[in-house]
Amino acid sequence: MRALLSGLASCLGRQKTCSRQLRRYLNASSSILTANIEAIPVPSTMKDYPPKIKKIVDEICKMSLIEVADLNELLKVTLRIPDTPMMAAVAAQAPGAGKKAEEEADAAPVQQQSMFKLKIVKFDDAKKVALIKEIKSLSIDMNLVQAKKYVESVPQIFRESLSKVDAEALKKKLEQVGAICELE
């Protein structure tokens, strides 16, 4: 957000009224960001811009900061501008960088999955009560009736974003009480 504001302020720094409006808005919302805008030098020589461009700048000056952020997002989507950091974009454009990046990609090992989902596929009918109690004890926000409804509506994902160790430990607990689980 700070980069967006800095870019906007430098772009609008040529227009004194826009700069004043932006500073006034920022003074009301955040003194930290205002200090960054104040440090941006205003160019002393003014380039002569076409009336069409001046009209667009005037319209942007009348927008709220949220509207400017939405405009920025829409322009990126419409113009198919990737949302990458500037340094990565510069490195990608450097001569010979493409060959080097391809060699590194080929040499890099395949990444292993780090986050898992634990899905209860089915359960042993003889151990249904024990499974319901275990589900209730493992889920803080579930009461006994909700745990019963959950067990009766399997297959379902029980937990998401688990590390491999946590997922396997949870799977072992549930399988001990009659659940048949799988990791995704």
Side-chain angles (χ1 to χ4, degrees):
M1 173 119 164
R2 186 176 291 168
L4 172 69
L5 291 175
S6 299
L8 181 63
S10 66
C11 176
L12 298 176
R14 297 176 189 98
Q15 299 289 328
K16 291 183 180 181
T17 57
C18 292
S19 182
R20 273 189 238 122
Q21 288 176 353
L22 183 60
R23 285 186 184 126
R24 199 175 313 129
Y25 178 78
L26 290 175
N27 278 333
S29 62
S30 173
S31 60
I32 295 171
L33 293 175
T34 306
N36 290 339
I37 301 257
E38 293 293 336
I40 298 171
V42 177
S44 59
T45 59
M46 184 82 163
K47 181 179 173 182
D48 189 30
Y49 294 100
K52 183 178 178 180
I53 301 294
K54 289 180 181 180
K55 182 180 177 185
I56 292 171
V57 169
D58 289 338
E59 289 297 315
I60 291 173
C61 289
K62 294 175 186 174
M63 298 173 129
S64 70
L65 199 55
I66 294 171
E67 290 172 331
V68 172
D70 290 341
L71 173 66
N72 182 27
E73 184 179 326
L74 180 62
L75 284 171
K76 283 183 180 180
V77 170
T78 304
L79 300 174
R80 294 187 179 111
I81 299 172
D83 213 11
T84 58
M86 290 303 293
M87 293 307 290
V90 171
Q93 293 175 355
K99 292 178 184 177
K100 190 174 181 180
E102 287 177 15
E103 291 172 3
E104 289 177 7
D106 292 339
V110 177
Q111 291 184 350
Q112 293 183 356
Q113 185 177 357
S114 61
M115 301 307 275
F116 293 88
K117 296 178 185 177
L118 180 68
K119 182 177 184 179
I120 300 176
V121 180
K122 54 185 176 177
F123 60 92
D124 183 10
D125 288 331
K127 297 182 177 181
K128 181 178 177 181
V129 174
L131 179 61
I132 292 170
K133 288 181 180 179
E134 188 66 26
I135 294 288
K136 181 192 174 293
S137 70
L138 292 172
S139 300
I140 299 169
D141 58 340
M142 230 185 256
N143 62 31
L144 197 58
V145 174
Q146 291 170 329
K148 180 180 182 266
K149 287 180 182 178
Y150 179 85
V151 169
E152 291 172 346
S153 63
V154 294
Q156 284 195 62
I157 294 176
F158 181 62
R159 291 267 170 88
E160 295 183 22
S161 302
L162 294 169
S163 67
K164 186 170 183 158
V165 174
D166 292 339
E168 288 176 349
L170 193 56
K171 180 180 177 184
K172 185 177 178 182
K173 280 184 183 180
L174 291 173
E175 286 177 343
Q176 287 175 351
V177 291
I180 298 173
C181 304
E182 62 183 37
L183 297 177
E184 296 179 350

